[in-house]
Amino acid sequence: MAKEKIIGIDLGTTNSVVAVMDGKETIVLENPAGKRTTPSVVAWKNGERIVGEIAKRQLETNPDSIASVKRLMGTNEKVKVKVDGKEQEFTPEQVSAFILMYLKEYAEKKVGSKIEKAVITVPAYFNNDQREATKVAGKIAGLDVVRIINEPTAAALSYGVDKKDKEQKILVYDLGGGTFDVSILELSEGTFEVLATSGDNHLGGDDWDNVIVDWIKDKIKKDNNFDVSKDKMAMSRLKEAAEKAKIELSGSDSTTINLPFLAITDNGPLNVELELKRSDFEKMTANLVDRTRKPIMDALKEAGLKASDLDEVLLVGGSTRIPAVQKMVEQTLGKAPNRTINPDEVVAIGAAVQGGVLAGDVSDVLLLDVTPLTLGIVTEGDIIAPLIKRNTTIPVTKSQVFSTAADNQTEVSIVVVQGEREVLEGNKVLGQFNLSGIDPAPRGVPQIEVSFSIDVNGITTVTAKDKKNNKEATITIQNSTRLSDEEIEKMVKDAEAHKEEDQKRKEERSTIIRAESLINMMEKSITDSKDMDPKMKEQSEKEIATLKEMIEKKQIEELKTKLDQIEQAASMYANQQANKAATEKEDDNNDGPIKAEVEEEK
């Protein structure tokens, strides 16, 4: 019986690619149009659903077309189209599933057997929602998504699978149609370990296209006093012309944009013919190119590397063909990018290699990926306790013991967050669940173990367990984050911008919690010790009153000093008591032998 094939799919914003391993060789499968890339476009005409090249050709004439749906993955947004004259709504998962069904169908014809399993790639900065949505799309399409891997990681896997004996540090610069990622990997003895990842989940080739679209619109407005943006059909043609112009400018110094009969104005048909020079295009898009520089530097910093430490720089995604992008990468890293790989196909090939690993066709490759954002829980005072830091290798499980914040608390609420801030504000709440049935006890006594597990697909499970009675509760983070494309990058930037402020708030809250714990302990000591020395009791009550006043007035620095003084005095008192006890014990030990000697003499 032939071994079951596991296909690799690059489910892209603009185009998708499917590949498979045949023995030790990876093959990119052609679609029915004879092309190796398939436009990620779905349309309906006369009640029939069409996908790929044919659907893309109808984008400018068919209003019931959907493109770039990847940017909606993991959100609640729905796309409305008319099917057989009736308006219907589709989720991003459903639309993605239509694309995957098409890829699966022609892959089966090429392979000659039924395909049920796939490895699908996603941007490195995709969160739990987006990854889970991708798996759901696969399931709808009839595919068991056996692994989700990051696109830059897949590219490095494709590049290095035949270089396993060579130790290398590789930077992958992945600029696709809708997303941008940078990943740094270390390749050593067949192990591909991701050291760091960074990116901008709302930046891609579409943005370069939009710059040209806006330029054409402004020209039309200036020359013809006509607002073309109100004409949906005309805008579709503009978008297509812009993409074509961008591609042509990668190989030419200028291009002509020719759009006859673009629209009907009060003065008759609108014919557009414009020349766009590459130099002008580069000026117009310089800010976009520059936006990709910071993630490069951030990834190097996270990996603890300098640009000179890199052995290879790989360019992935069709938009890396833009000369200004290539020039910036070379100038930033001081190294010419490797141009031996096909930027459109390398991700799907890497996914197919991973499929080969899972199918047992490749036995000497190990892939170690990372999580893009820090995961933790909210503790008292809205302070975040991070359990898994960003850029931690996955799969991973981390645990930490916490306790209750009030006496006799029988239930705790676990709020799971994602982000880089040290306080709740600015982070994203992924989910929340309660652990009930905790045995009543003074605050700080119960031991609640919280465990985070991230699987190989980057999907998170959180468990809270009472270590005394073994009661536990669990949540799997699925389709609950609802992070927008901008939010992920904003989280990292906000964390940096508010670092000092967050640290101050964290120290302030930690000091107050420290004071409240000390007050609780001192009050308990006064209540429990009935034979306490009156002077000590009076002093303790005075200290408690002082601490409470400082907390109320938020005199944090004075409070910290006071706490240090009290704790130092308590430590000295404890040492004195210990020394006194040791001296008394020593005296007892000395009395014994002396007394014995006297008795013997008698």
Side-chain angles (χ1 to χ4, degrees), residues 260-278:
F261 299 101
L262 180 64
I264 300 296
T265 71
D266 293 339
N267 299 319
L270 175 64
N271 298 306
V272 176
E273 186 173 340
L274 298 168
E275 183 186 16
L276 178 58
K277 294 178 181 178
R278 183 196 287 179

Side-chain angles (χ1 to χ4, degrees), residues 45 155 162 164 206 233 259 321 338 376 378 430 451 484 531 556:
K45 192 166 185 180
D162 60 348
K164 293 186 286 290
D206 287 352
M233 196 78 74
L259 293 164
R321 291 189 174 93
N338 185 314
V378 181
L430 301 184
S451 298
S484 71
D531 56 347
I556 303 303

Side-chain angles (χ1 to χ4, degrees), residues 237 369 423:
R237 289 183 64 191
D369 220 327
V423 294

Side-chain angles (χ1 to χ4, degrees), residues 318-335:
S319 299
T320 59
R321 291 189 174 93
I322 298 171
V325 168
Q326 296 178 358
K327 185 178 179 182
M328 185 280 297
V329 172
E330 186 167 350
Q331 287 177 341
T332 301
L333 298 173
K335 185 184 297 293

